[in-house]
Every structure is written in structure tokens, then in C-alpha cells.
Amino acid sequence: MSSYLTSCEKAARAAGKVLTEWRGKFQVREKGRADLVTDADLAAQKAIEEILSGDFPDFEFLGEEGPAGVSRTTGSPFCWIVDPLDGTTNYVHGLPNYSVSIGLAEAGTIIAGVVYDPVFDRCFKAEKGQGATLNDERIEVSRAKSLDEALIAASFAASIQKGSPEIDDFVNVLTQSRGIRRLGSAALNLAYVATGCLDGYWAGSNKPWDVAAGVILVQEAGGIVQGYNNQPFDVFQPKIVATGTQQLQAALQAQISSF
């Protein structure tokens, strides 16, 4: 495991400890309608940044809870992309489906990432060219090829409106797949695709920090990650479709019209 991934895991576990310690003690604020932030988010990001900045002081840092998301700009091609608490609404309500997500990009390409589930102590890790693991055991995507055998996850904007094209996409996939789940953490959705317990995932309203780590998990587990309309994935414009096979990727892309 490289020093990048070692630092990723160390920072993610430190943030997970912070989130656990803050349970039941935090204050909640709204960044936007149904878009929450807590003291725990802020404390967890501080813990992450202290570790990563200490280990790699020249790397840039993009975190969800900084001013405009940006905490440090250095001109380096390397940038940490961090969500200290992906699934804040779940966390606030006591639903045990949230995570810490840390990805490392080099010139816009994700080269390493960790998604850490502090509730169940599950650490998903991946590095470019080195495969993906869950608690150091190798993981692989599912081989589902058609929607009717696939369990799919989706994410929607916190402020989604009735009549949105995203709702039409949801209905399209719902009526053709084995089932749809909206679990509330994009990072965990992608981690679950990487393990094969979900067959696919799509979303049109994520931010870079929601998906940076999860993208490399899926890729290194043998899966496919694209933007909408079969376009190359761009972490800074992260409309995303992720599956385990080319056949399922084509089938899911065909149901998504909200480009």
C-alpha cells in the first residue's frame, strides 16, 4: 500500500472516530433546503486536513465544508477531495448509513481513495492499478448484465422538484430493474457497487467530494464509470453512471434522459 493510501486510511479513520464521538452532541444547520451540516462535519474535516496536510503539505485540498469547498490551493497537480461526512441527513436521524470519503486526484484523474464506514468499521480502499479491497480483502463488482436482474441505487438533489426529469429517470429504471435504493450516501453507494451487493448506481447532482473515492473503488474492482450519455467521467462535473458490466452500463444509460 502506498503512502498515499496509508494517509487516506489514517485520515478517514480519524474522521470516523470524530463522528462517533460527536453522536448526540452536535448542532444542525441548513446550508440549503434539506441540505444539512453539523458540528461533526466540520470537526471531522479538520481532523482529515490536519493529517493529510501534515503528510503531504504541498498537495491541494478540496473539502465540502471549506469556504466554497476550497481550503488550500498550492498549484500542485495533486489534490485531496474530501467529504468528511457523506450522508449527513442519515447521521442526524441516527440512520447507520454514512461514511467518510477521501479521494486523491492527479491532474483531475482519481488515483487513490478510501471510503470508511465508521458504524460497521468497514474500510474500502483502492489505488490505481492495484485493485480494490474491503478491510484488506479483495472485492469485485457483480456480473449482472440486464436491468431485470439488477439492484440499482440512485441519488437526487436535496432540493429536487416535482416534475423533474430526474424523477422520470427514476420511474424508467424502477419499472425495469429488480429494485432501486436511495440510501443517502453516494460514497457508500459506489463502495457497494464495488463489492457487488449493488449492481449499479447513477446520479446527476453529486459534488466532486461525494464520488471521488467511490469512483476508483468501482474502477479497481473491475467496474465501469461514465458520465451521462456515455461520456467520459469528469470528477469536477460528476454526473455519474457506474455498473459492473458493459451490458448493464448500456441498459442503464438508455433509461437516463436528464442529461
Side-chain angles (χ1 to χ4, degrees):
M1 185 166 63
S2 75
S3 57
Y4 299 150
L5 211 55
T6 299
S7 290
C8 258
E9 181 174 0
K10 179 172 64 173
R13 288 185 177 276
K17 183 178 179 182
V18 169
L19 296 178
T20 301
E21 291 172 347
W22 271 96
R23 283 291 303 128
K25 298 187 292 185
F26 53 80
Q27 292 185 332
V28 182
R29 297 176 294 282
E30 280 197 340
K31 294 187 285 186
R33 189 178 75 81
D35 188 9
L36 307 179
V37 63
T38 72
D39 300 307
D41 298 64
L42 302 172
Q45 180 160 307
K46 182 179 179 182
I48 292 168
E49 188 164 11
E50 285 177 352
I51 290 170
L52 296 181
S53 298
D55 289 350
F56 297 95
D58 295 332
F59 286 13
E60 296 194 340
F61 187 96
L62 174 64
E64 179 177 12
E65 305 308 338
V70 179
S71 298
R72 187 174 68 252
T73 301
T74 66
S76 169
F78 293 96
C79 181
W80 299 108
I81 305 176
V82 172
D83 192 338
L85 174 49
D86 186 50
T88 302
T89 300
N90 288 349
Y91 180 76
V92 166
H93 285 265
L95 185 66
N97 198 76
Y98 54 85
S99 61
V100 180
S101 174
I102 304 174
L104 177 62
E106 182 182 11
T109 298
I110 306 301
I111 61 169
V114 168
V115 174
Y116 180 58
D117 175 351
V119 177
F120 299 104
D121 190 27
R122 294 183 293 196
C123 187
F124 304 84
K125 296 182 290 188
E127 189 167 7
K128 191 173 182 181
Q130 300 300 314
T133 61
L134 166 56
N135 291 348
D136 296 322
E137 296 290 332
R138 189 63 64 102
I139 55 176
E140 293 183 353
V141 294
S142 84
R143 308 320 302 170
K145 294 181 171 63
S146 63
L147 279 172
D148 61 5
E149 62 176 329
L151 182 62
I152 307 291
S155 296
F156 301 101
S159 57
I160 192 167
Q161 300 294 314
K162 185 176 181 180
S164 165
E166 289 180 279
I167 299 298
D168 293 335
D169 293 343
F170 178 86
V171 173
N172 289 342
V173 178
L174 178 65
T175 55
Q176 297 195 46
S177 64
R178 181 168 287 170
I180 289 184
R181 301 292 182 264
R182 186 187 182 193
L183 300 175
S185 170
L188 281 178
N189 287 338
L190 287 164
Y192 295 154
V193 173
T195 65
C197 61
L198 284 174
D199 302 297
Y201 169 66
W202 95 95
S205 56
N206 285 323
K207 302 297 184 184
W209 42 80
D210 298 319
V211 299
V215 163
I216 194 163
L217 287 173
V218 174
Q219 292 170 331
E220 288 298 315
I224 302 154
V225 180
Q226 293 178 312
Y228 278 18
N229 200 23
N230 303 295
Q231 294 301 304
F233 177 75
D234 180 350
V235 71
F236 295 109
Q237 297 180 347
K239 292 189 175 186
I240 188 169
V241 183
T243 63
T245 64
Q246 292 286 357
Q247 296 93 328
L248 185 59
Q249 183 77 6
L252 185 53
Q253 286 274 12
Q255 302 306 316
I256 298 169
S257 59
S258 56
F259 301 145

mmCIF file of all heavy atoms in Angstrom, residues 168-200:
data_model
loop_
_atom_site.group_PDB
_atom_site.id
_atom_site.type_symbol
_atom_site.label_atom_id
_atom_site.label_comp_id
_atom_site.label_asym_id
_atom_site.label_seq_id
_atom_site.Cartn_x
_atom_site.Cartn_y
_atom_site.Cartn_z
ATOM 1 N N ASP A 168 -38.451 11.268 -13.762
ATOM 2 C CA ASP A 168 -38.773 10.405 -14.911
ATOM 3 C C ASP A 168 -37.741 9.286 -15.057
ATOM 4 O O ASP A 168 -38.095 8.132 -15.318
ATOM 5 C CB ASP A 168 -38.823 11.231 -16.203
ATOM 6 C CG ASP A 168 -39.975 12.222 -16.221
ATOM 7 O OD1 ASP A 168 -40.986 11.975 -15.524
ATOM 8 O OD2 ASP A 168 -39.876 13.237 -16.932
ATOM 9 N N ASP A 169 -36.465 9.633 -14.884
ATOM 10 C CA ASP A 169 -35.419 8.612 -14.949
ATOM 11 C C ASP A 169 -35.643 7.550 -13.875
ATOM 12 O O ASP A 169 -35.491 6.346 -14.135
ATOM 13 C CB ASP A 169 -34.043 9.240 -14.745
ATOM 14 C CG ASP A 169 -33.636 10.166 -15.883
ATOM 15 O OD1 ASP A 169 -34.250 10.086 -16.964
ATOM 16 O OD2 ASP A 169 -32.700 10.954 -15.686
ATOM 17 N N PHE A 170 -35.984 7.990 -12.668
ATOM 18 C CA PHE A 170 -36.234 7.070 -11.564
ATOM 19 C C PHE A 170 -37.341 6.078 -11.914
ATOM 20 O O PHE A 170 -37.196 4.867 -11.713
ATOM 21 C CB PHE A 170 -36.606 7.868 -10.310
ATOM 22 C CG PHE A 170 -36.942 7.019 -9.122
ATOM 23 C CD1 PHE A 170 -35.941 6.570 -8.272
ATOM 24 C CD2 PHE A 170 -38.251 6.673 -8.838
ATOM 25 C CE1 PHE A 170 -36.247 5.791 -7.165
ATOM 26 C CE2 PHE A 170 -38.561 5.886 -7.742
ATOM 27 C CZ PHE A 170 -37.557 5.447 -6.902
ATOM 28 N N VAL A 171 -38.423 6.595 -12.476
ATOM 29 C CA VAL A 171 -39.548 5.726 -12.846
ATOM 30 C C VAL A 171 -39.129 4.758 -13.946
ATOM 31 O O VAL A 171 -39.471 3.563 -13.918
ATOM 32 C CB VAL A 171 -40.764 6.567 -13.272
ATOM 33 C CG1 VAL A 171 -41.871 5.683 -13.826
ATOM 34 C CG2 VAL A 171 -41.284 7.381 -12.090
ATOM 35 N N ASN A 172 -38.374 5.263 -14.918
ATOM 36 C CA ASN A 172 -37.897 4.394 -16.002
ATOM 37 C C ASN A 172 -37.107 3.212 -15.461
ATOM 38 O O ASN A 172 -37.323 2.055 -15.853
ATOM 39 C CB ASN A 172 -37.004 5.194 -16.967
ATOM 40 C CG ASN A 172 -37.770 6.187 -17.799
ATOM 41 O OD1 ASN A 172 -38.988 6.097 -17.924
ATOM 42 N ND2 ASN A 172 -37.065 7.158 -18.357
ATOM 43 N N VAL A 173 -36.170 3.491 -14.558
ATOM 44 C CA VAL A 173 -35.325 2.427 -14.019
ATOM 45 C C VAL A 173 -36.121 1.545 -13.060
ATOM 46 O O VAL A 173 -35.991 0.316 -13.070
ATOM 47 C CB VAL A 173 -34.087 3.013 -13.328
ATOM 48 C CG1 VAL A 173 -33.232 1.902 -12.722
ATOM 49 C CG2 VAL A 173 -33.253 3.837 -14.311
ATOM 50 N N LEU A 174 -36.983 2.157 -12.257
ATOM 51 C CA LEU A 174 -37.772 1.402 -11.283
ATOM 52 C C LEU A 174 -38.625 0.335 -11.953
ATOM 53 O O LEU A 174 -38.729 -0.792 -11.464
ATOM 54 C CB LEU A 174 -38.666 2.366 -10.494
ATOM 55 C CG LEU A 174 -39.608 1.743 -9.465
ATOM 56 C CD1 LEU A 174 -38.818 1.074 -8.344
ATOM 57 C CD2 LEU A 174 -40.546 2.809 -8.896
ATOM 58 N N THR A 175 -39.217 0.677 -13.080
ATOM 59 C CA THR A 175 -40.136 -0.249 -13.735
ATOM 60 C C THR A 175 -39.416 -1.356 -14.507
ATOM 61 O O THR A 175 -40.055 -2.321 -14.927
ATOM 62 C CB THR A 175 -41.075 0.504 -14.687
ATOM 63 O OG1 THR A 175 -40.295 1.260 -15.623
ATOM 64 C CG2 THR A 175 -41.985 1.450 -13.918
ATOM 65 N N GLN A 176 -38.089 -1.229 -14.673
ATOM 66 C CA GLN A 176 -37.364 -2.234 -15.450
ATOM 67 C C GLN A 176 -36.333 -3.016 -14.646
ATOM 68 O O GLN A 176 -35.852 -4.058 -15.107
ATOM 69 C CB GLN A 176 -36.676 -1.573 -16.653
ATOM 70 C CG GLN A 176 -37.672 -0.952 -17.620
ATOM 71 C CD GLN A 176 -37.024 -0.631 -18.951
ATOM 72 O OE1 GLN A 176 -36.301 -1.452 -19.515
ATOM 73 N NE2 GLN A 176 -37.254 0.572 -19.443
ATOM 74 N N SER A 177 -35.998 -2.534 -13.453
ATOM 75 C CA SER A 177 -34.954 -3.181 -12.660
ATOM 76 C C SER A 177 -35.563 -4.095 -11.595
ATOM 77 O O SER A 177 -36.780 -4.095 -11.369
ATOM 78 C CB SER A 177 -34.097 -2.116 -11.975
ATOM 79 O OG SER A 177 -34.877 -1.386 -11.049
ATOM 80 N N ARG A 178 -34.713 -4.851 -10.934
ATOM 81 C CA ARG A 178 -35.154 -5.678 -9.810
ATOM 82 C C ARG A 178 -35.549 -4.806 -8.629
ATOM 83 O O ARG A 178 -36.405 -5.171 -7.819
ATOM 84 C CB ARG A 178 -34.046 -6.646 -9.418
ATOM 85 C CG ARG A 178 -34.383 -7.580 -8.282
ATOM 86 C CD ARG A 178 -33.361 -8.689 -8.159
ATOM 87 N NE ARG A 178 -33.519 -9.664 -9.241
ATOM 88 C CZ ARG A 178 -32.640 -10.638 -9.506
ATOM 89 N NH1 ARG A 178 -31.537 -10.734 -8.782
ATOM 90 N NH2 ARG A 178 -32.854 -11.484 -10.486
ATOM 91 N N GLY A 179 -34.928 -3.654 -8.509
ATOM 92 C CA GLY A 179 -35.261 -2.732 -7.428
ATOM 93 C C GLY A 179 -34.338 -1.533 -7.432
ATOM 94 O O GLY A 179 -33.257 -1.563 -8.031
ATOM 95 N N ILE A 180 -34.779 -0.456 -6.770
ATOM 96 C CA ILE A 180 -33.986 0.759 -6.622
ATOM 97 C C ILE A 180 -33.871 1.086 -5.145
ATOM 98 O O ILE A 180 -34.826 0.936 -4.386
ATOM 99 C CB ILE A 180 -34.617 1.952 -7.372
ATOM 100 C CG1 ILE A 180 -34.490 1.776 -8.887
ATOM 101 C CG2 ILE A 180 -33.946 3.260 -6.961
ATOM 102 C CD1 ILE A 180 -35.004 2.953 -9.670
ATOM 103 N N ARG A 181 -32.704 1.560 -4.746
ATOM 104 C CA ARG A 181 -32.476 2.028 -3.390
ATOM 105 C C ARG A 181 -31.937 3.458 -3.433
ATOM 106 O O ARG A 181 -31.104 3.785 -4.268
ATOM 107 C CB ARG A 181 -31.466 1.139 -2.666
ATOM 108 C CG ARG A 181 -31.893 -0.327 -2.571
ATOM 109 C CD ARG A 181 -33.083 -0.499 -1.655
ATOM 110 N NE ARG A 181 -33.465 -1.895 -1.526
ATOM 111 C CZ ARG A 181 -34.435 -2.479 -2.246
ATOM 112 N NH1 ARG A 181 -35.095 -1.784 -3.168
ATOM 113 N NH2 ARG A 181 -34.730 -3.752 -2.041
ATOM 114 N N ARG A 182 -32.459 4.289 -2.533
ATOM 115 C CA ARG A 182 -31.897 5.626 -2.327
ATOM 116 C C ARG A 182 -31.372 5.640 -0.889
ATOM 117 O O ARG A 182 -32.102 5.893 0.054
ATOM 118 C CB ARG A 182 -32.957 6.709 -2.540
ATOM 119 C CG ARG A 182 -32.379 8.123 -2.475
ATOM 120 C CD ARG A 182 -33.460 9.189 -2.524
ATOM 121 N NE ARG A 182 -32.881 10.518 -2.511
ATOM 122 C CZ ARG A 182 -33.577 11.626 -2.295
ATOM 123 N NH1 ARG A 182 -34.885 11.554 -2.075
ATOM 124 N NH2 ARG A 182 -32.978 12.797 -2.287
ATOM 125 N N LEU A 183 -30.083 5.336 -0.740
ATOM 126 C CA LEU A 183 -29.522 5.030 0.578
ATOM 127 C C LEU A 183 -28.962 6.253 1.303
ATOM 128 O O LEU A 183 -28.722 6.192 2.502
ATOM 129 C CB LEU A 183 -28.433 3.965 0.430
ATOM 130 C CG LEU A 183 -28.915 2.637 -0.179
ATOM 131 C CD1 LEU A 183 -27.729 1.700 -0.385
ATOM 132 C CD2 LEU A 183 -29.965 1.984 0.700
ATOM 133 N N GLY A 184 -28.709 7.337 0.586
ATOM 134 C CA GLY A 184 -28.343 8.573 1.260
ATOM 135 C C GLY A 184 -26.863 8.865 1.371
ATOM 136 O O GLY A 184 -26.477 9.883 1.939
ATOM 137 N N SER A 185 -26.008 7.984 0.850
ATOM 138 C CA SER A 185 -24.561 8.250 0.821
ATOM 139 C C SER A 185 -24.024 7.801 -0.522
ATOM 140 O O SER A 185 -23.917 6.599 -0.794
ATOM 141 C CB SER A 185 -23.840 7.509 1.958
ATOM 142 O OG SER A 185 -22.430 7.578 1.779
ATOM 143 N N ALA A 186 -23.676 8.758 -1.372
ATOM 144 C CA ALA A 186 -23.148 8.420 -2.697
ATOM 145 C C ALA A 186 -21.871 7.604 -2.583
ATOM 146 O O ALA A 186 -21.634 6.666 -3.358
ATOM 147 C CB ALA A 186 -22.883 9.697 -3.495
ATOM 148 N N ALA A 187 -21.018 7.953 -1.617
ATOM 149 C CA ALA A 187 -19.753 7.235 -1.460
ATOM 150 C C ALA A 187 -20.001 5.765 -1.133
ATOM 151 O O ALA A 187 -19.354 4.872 -1.704
ATOM 152 C CB ALA A 187 -18.918 7.891 -0.363
ATOM 153 N N LEU A 188 -20.940 5.492 -0.221
ATOM 154 C CA LEU A 188 -21.250 4.104 0.100
ATOM 155 C C LEU A 188 -21.947 3.405 -1.058
ATOM 156 O O LEU A 188 -21.734 2.209 -1.286
ATOM 157 C CB LEU A 188 -22.104 4.020 1.368
ATOM 158 C CG LEU A 188 -21.347 4.172 2.690
ATOM 159 C CD1 LEU A 188 -22.320 4.109 3.865
ATOM 160 C CD2 LEU A 188 -20.263 3.118 2.848
ATOM 161 N N ASN A 189 -22.794 4.117 -1.786
ATOM 162 C CA ASN A 189 -23.405 3.502 -2.978
ATOM 163 C C ASN A 189 -22.334 2.956 -3.912
ATOM 164 O O ASN A 189 -22.420 1.825 -4.406
ATOM 165 C CB ASN A 189 -24.254 4.523 -3.733
ATOM 166 C CG ASN A 189 -25.558 4.855 -3.037
ATOM 167 O OD1 ASN A 189 -26.060 4.079 -2.226
ATOM 168 N ND2 ASN A 189 -26.113 6.007 -3.358
ATOM 169 N N LEU A 190 -21.327 3.765 -4.176
ATOM 170 C CA LEU A 190 -20.251 3.330 -5.082
ATOM 171 C C LEU A 190 -19.425 2.211 -4.451
ATOM 172 O O LEU A 190 -19.008 1.274 -5.143
ATOM 173 C CB LEU A 190 -19.367 4.526 -5.446
ATOM 174 C CG LEU A 190 -20.022 5.521 -6.409
ATOM 175 C CD1 LEU A 190 -19.277 6.850 -6.408
ATOM 176 C CD2 LEU A 190 -20.104 4.956 -7.814
ATOM 177 N N ALA A 191 -19.197 2.287 -3.150
ATOM 178 C CA ALA A 191 -18.485 1.200 -2.478
ATOM 179 C C ALA A 191 -19.268 -0.102 -2.598
ATOM 180 O O ALA A 191 -18.678 -1.177 -2.811
ATOM 181 C CB ALA A 191 -18.260 1.554 -1.004
ATOM 182 N N TYR A 192 -20.580 -0.021 -2.497
ATOM 183 C CA TYR A 192 -21.410 -1.220 -2.610
ATOM 184 C C TYR A 192 -21.428 -1.760 -4.042
ATOM 185 O O TYR A 192 -21.508 -2.973 -4.252
ATOM 186 C CB TYR A 192 -22.832 -0.934 -2.144
ATOM 187 C CG TYR A 192 -22.961 -0.581 -0.672
ATOM 188 C CD1 TYR A 192 -24.023 0.195 -0.219
ATOM 189 C CD2 TYR A 192 -22.023 -1.008 0.260
ATOM 190 C CE1 TYR A 192 -24.149 0.524 1.122
ATOM 191 C CE2 TYR A 192 -22.144 -0.673 1.598
ATOM 192 C CZ TYR A 192 -23.217 0.101 2.027
ATOM 193 O OH TYR A 192 -23.346 0.432 3.353
ATOM 194 N N VAL A 193 -21.346 -0.874 -5.034
ATOM 195 C CA VAL A 193 -21.184 -1.353 -6.410
ATOM 196 C C VAL A 193 -19.848 -2.085 -6.543
ATOM 197 O O VAL A 193 -19.758 -3.132 -7.185
ATOM 198 C CB VAL A 193 -21.276 -0.187 -7.418
ATOM 199 C CG1 VAL A 193 -20.926 -0.658 -8.834
ATOM 200 C CG2 VAL A 193 -22.682 0.429 -7.412
ATOM 201 N N ALA A 194 -18.825 -1.548 -5.914
ATOM 202 C CA ALA A 194 -17.502 -2.187 -5.986
ATOM 203 C C ALA A 194 -17.504 -3.578 -5.357
ATOM 204 O O ALA A 194 -16.774 -4.467 -5.801
ATOM 205 C CB ALA A 194 -16.455 -1.303 -5.314
ATOM 206 N N THR A 195 -18.315 -3.793 -4.326
ATOM 207 C CA THR A 195 -18.374 -5.110 -3.687
ATOM 208 C C THR A 195 -19.338 -6.060 -4.384
ATOM 209 O O THR A 195 -19.332 -7.257 -4.101
ATOM 210 C CB THR A 195 -18.815 -5.018 -2.221
ATOM 211 O OG1 THR A 195 -20.165 -4.531 -2.162
ATOM 212 C CG2 THR A 195 -17.901 -4.112 -1.419
ATOM 213 N N GLY A 196 -20.198 -5.516 -5.270
ATOM 214 C CA GLY A 196 -21.157 -6.358 -5.975
ATOM 215 C C GLY A 196 -22.495 -6.519 -5.291
ATOM 216 O O GLY A 196 -23.381 -7.181 -5.838
ATOM 217 N N CYS A 197 -22.696 -5.922 -4.107
ATOM 218 C CA CYS A 197 -24.019 -6.040 -3.476
ATOM 219 C C CYS A 197 -25.018 -5.073 -4.097
ATOM 220 O O CYS A 197 -26.230 -5.273 -3.988
ATOM 221 C CB CYS A 197 -23.939 -5.885 -1.969
ATOM 222 S SG CYS A 197 -23.322 -4.311 -1.381
ATOM 223 N N LEU A 198 -24.543 -4.027 -4.746
ATOM 224 C CA LEU A 198 -25.335 -3.242 -5.689
ATOM 225 C C LEU A 198 -24.769 -3.502 -7.077
ATOM 226 O O LEU A 198 -23.554 -3.619 -7.249
ATOM 227 C CB LEU A 198 -25.262 -1.747 -5.378
ATOM 228 C CG LEU A 198 -26.064 -1.209 -4.207
ATOM 229 C CD1 LEU A 198 -25.741 0.268 -3.977
ATOM 230 C CD2 LEU A 198 -27.564 -1.399 -4.412
ATOM 231 N N ASP A 199 -25.656 -3.557 -8.068
ATOM 232 C CA ASP A 199 -25.218 -3.807 -9.440
ATOM 233 C C ASP A 199 -24.930 -2.525 -10.212
ATOM 234 O O ASP A 199 -24.186 -2.549 -11.193
ATOM 235 C CB ASP A 199 -26.282 -4.621 -10.173
ATOM 236 C CG ASP A 199 -26.557 -5.935 -9.476
ATOM 237 O OD1 ASP A 199 -25.632 -6.760 -9.387
ATOM 238 O OD2 ASP A 199 -27.693 -6.125 -8.992
ATOM 239 N N GLY A 200 -25.522 -1.408 -9.775
ATOM 240 C CA GLY A 200 -25.303 -0.157 -10.478
ATOM 241 C C GLY A 200 -25.723 1.027 -9.635
ATOM 242 O O GLY A 200 -26.418 0.885 -8.615
#
